[in-house]
């Protein structure tokens, strides 16, 4: 693919980034201009993208509480294994993703990618993390996720194993897909797989850790949180738009550009709340679940202060943090609504 340099506002911030409103969650990207982390734990936090944990742990917990609300039974052991499996799969995917980006940078003869913040790729390129250590860590984390899947199958039955196992397979597929032909279809598969593997399927698995019955309810709620999780991943790709372009990764953000990518992120956010609203209106959910709409202005207020055609680094970071905060808060409000109705 023939590349020519062109300006991309997402990773070319002005000398003094425009101030943004303080959010409920501070991501690793806020450490702009600082040196690498001084401790191994700090490096792991960057490599494994721990700042996204509150959003990605929300779907399985919401699914488990939803199952409890319908059955009145709650199994802590299954939920713990499900959350642990989800986290290790997410961290393993992040580690392998940074490793394969490093491989692609060598393939494209890129010695270093000038980014104003620390990433797993920059830590590898600067020698702070060894590539072999990173790939071994990613594989170990996926093995741990597989062990959790087996325990879930033994303790919770085949429905839990099926949904979480499918999520794990899709997460692994998204992680290793860059090894194959680098096409737009490949990267579209990677992005969609992550939305489903970390948004929709963990919620269904969480639901079946507490309920053995098949209902339409978890499908509608799962779709809502899948869209919200998708907004988190999509906002992250906007931050890395120029890096992906340099690495010849034809992600949706690279193909569409930052302005249209922001539009899709907004669409995912609104679609998530619409799905939750339809779930509360068309199913047996209590009216208390309308509390989740409180998260809508939290999610949308970030878009109100952005200039679509001049998206800066501060805007992209704010968008990412807002997506994490909105997903986590919406999940907490949904859980609170079910607890209020369940104990009333």
């Amino acid at each position: 693919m023939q590349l020519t340099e062109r300006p991309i506002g997402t990773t070319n911030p002005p000398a003094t980034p425009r101030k943004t409103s303080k959010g409920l969650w501070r991501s690793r990207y806020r450490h702009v201009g600082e040196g690498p982390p001084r401790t191994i734990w700090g490096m792991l936090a960057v490599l494994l993208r721990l700042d996204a944990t509150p959003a990605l742990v929300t779907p399985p917990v919401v699914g488990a509480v939803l199952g409890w609300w319908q059955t009145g039974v709650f199994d802590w052991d299954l939920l713990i294994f499900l959350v642990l499996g989800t986290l290790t799969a997410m961290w393993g995917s992040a580690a392998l993703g940074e490793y394969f980006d490093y491989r692609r940078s060598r393939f494209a003869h890129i010695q270093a990618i000038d980014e104003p913040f620390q990433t797993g790729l920059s830590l590898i390129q600067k020698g702070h993390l060894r590539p072999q250590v990173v790939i071994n860590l990613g594989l170990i984390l996926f093995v741990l996720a597989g062990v959790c899947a087996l325990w879930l199958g033994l303790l919770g039955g085949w429905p839990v194993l099926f949904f979480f196992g499918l999520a794990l397979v899709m997460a692994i597929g998204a992680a290793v897909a860059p090894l194959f032909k680098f096409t737009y279809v490949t990267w579209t598969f990677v992005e969609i797989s992550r939305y489903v593997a970390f948004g929709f399927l963990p919620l269904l698995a969480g639901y079946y850790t507490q309920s053995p019955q098949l209902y339409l309810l978890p499908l509608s709620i799962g779709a809502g949180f899948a869209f919200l999780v998708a907004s988190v991943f999509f906002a992250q790709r906007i931050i890395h738009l120029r890096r992906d372009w340099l690495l010849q990764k034809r992600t949706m953000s690279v193909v569409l550009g930052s302005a249209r990518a922001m539009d899709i992120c907004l669409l995912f956010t609104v679609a998530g709340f619409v799905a939750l609203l339809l779930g509360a209106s068309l199913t047996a959910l209590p009216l208390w679940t309308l509390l989740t709409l409180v998260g809508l202005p939290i999610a949308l207020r970030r878009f109100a202060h952005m200039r679509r055609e001049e998206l800066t680094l501060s805007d992209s970071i704010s968008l990412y943090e807002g997506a994490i905060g909105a997903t986590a808060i919406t999940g907490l409000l949904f859980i609170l609504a079910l607890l209020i109705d369940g104990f009333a």
Side-chain angles (χ1 to χ4, degrees):
M1 183 171 68
Q2 188 70 27
L3 296 178
T4 56
E5 183 70 29
R6 58 187 174 87
I8 299 178
T10 305
T11 52
N12 289 302
T16 304
R18 186 166 69 247
K19 292 184 178 181
T20 55
S21 58
K22 294 183 178 180
L24 297 171
W25 182 253
R26 303 288 286 178
S27 71
R28 65 188 184 279
Y29 298 111
R30 283 298 176 183
H31 303 286
V32 175
E34 297 184 6
R38 298 181 180 179
T39 65
I40 187 63
W41 299 113
M43 293 184 186
L44 287 177
V46 172
L47 175 67
L48 304 181
R49 305 170 190 170
L50 297 186
D51 52 353
T53 299
L56 300 186
V57 80
T58 296
V61 178
V62 167
V65 176
L66 184 62
W68 162 83
W69 176 78
Q70 283 201 315
T71 64
V73 178
F74 197 86
D75 192 322
W76 281 101
D77 293 338
L78 289 176
L79 178 59
I80 290 173
F81 276 112
L82 178 60
V83 170
L84 181 60
T86 301
L87 291 178
T88 50
M90 178 195 75
W91 296 336
S93 179
L96 292 184
E98 297 289 358
Y99 171 79
F100 288 128
D101 277 358
Y102 169 73
R103 288 277 303 271
R104 290 180 68 81
S105 70
R106 291 172 60 87
F107 174 78
H109 305 289
I110 301 175
Q111 298 301 321
I113 295 179
D114 185 20
E115 292 180 300
F117 41 74
Q118 298 296 324
T119 64
L121 173 60
S122 65
L123 293 177
I124 298 174
Q125 288 183 325
K126 295 174 183 177
H128 300 291
L129 290 174
R130 293 174 55 190
Q132 193 61 43
V133 172
V134 173
I135 189 173
N136 288 342
L137 177 61
L139 294 175
I140 290 172
L141 288 169
F142 269 124
V143 169
L144 291 176
V147 172
C148 290
L150 293 177
W151 274 109
L152 286 170
L154 291 174
L155 299 177
W158 71 266
V160 184
L161 177 62
F162 173 77
F163 288 111
F164 182 71
L166 182 58
L168 184 58
V169 169
M170 295 186 71
I172 294 174
V176 303
L179 291 174
F180 302 99
K181 189 176 180 180
F182 306 140
T183 65
Y184 174 68
V185 174
T186 301
W187 294 111
T188 302
F189 165 78
V190 169
E191 293 179 84
I192 294 176
S193 295
R194 284 174 177 161
Y195 305 159
V196 177
F198 296 114
F200 185 66
L201 292 176
L203 190 143
L204 293 182
Y207 177 82
Y208 286 107
T209 59
Q210 316 299 330
S211 174
Q213 302 297 323
L214 180 63
Y215 294 102
L216 180 63
L217 179 59
L219 298 178
S220 59
I221 302 303
F225 280 98
F227 279 121
L228 293 178
V229 168
S231 70
V232 174
F233 280 110
F234 212 84
Q236 184 184 53
R237 291 334 307 167
I238 294 176
I239 296 176
H240 292 287
L241 191 151
R242 184 174 182 273
R243 162 178 156 176
D244 291 343
W245 176 72
L246 289 173
L247 294 177
Q248 303 181 24
K249 294 168 63 174
R250 301 194 65 189
T251 62
M252 293 177 66
S253 298
V254 171
V255 173
L256 298 176
S258 59
R260 290 188 178 89
M262 191 186 79
D263 293 340
I264 293 181
C265 191
L266 174 61
L267 178 63
F268 283 157
T269 302
V270 174
F273 283 96
V274 169
L276 293 176
L277 178 61
L278 290 176
S281 304
L282 303 178
T283 63
L285 283 174
L287 290 178
W288 283 107
T289 53
L290 293 178
L291 281 173
T292 55
L293 295 180
V294 174
L296 183 58
I298 297 175
L300 297 183
R301 70 188 180 96
R302 300 299 180 117
F303 294 93
H305 303 287
M306 297 180 186
R307 292 191 292 252
R308 181 176 176 274
E309 300 298 335
E310 299 179 10
L311 199 63
T312 66
L313 176 63
S314 296
D315 291 336
S316 303
I317 293 173
S318 180
L319 191 66
Y320 175 67
E321 294 174 346
I324 294 175
T327 302
I329 290 175
T330 302
L332 287 175
L333 291 173
F334 189 86
I335 291 172
L336 177 62
L338 295 181
L339 292 175
I340 292 174
D341 185 75
F343 289 113

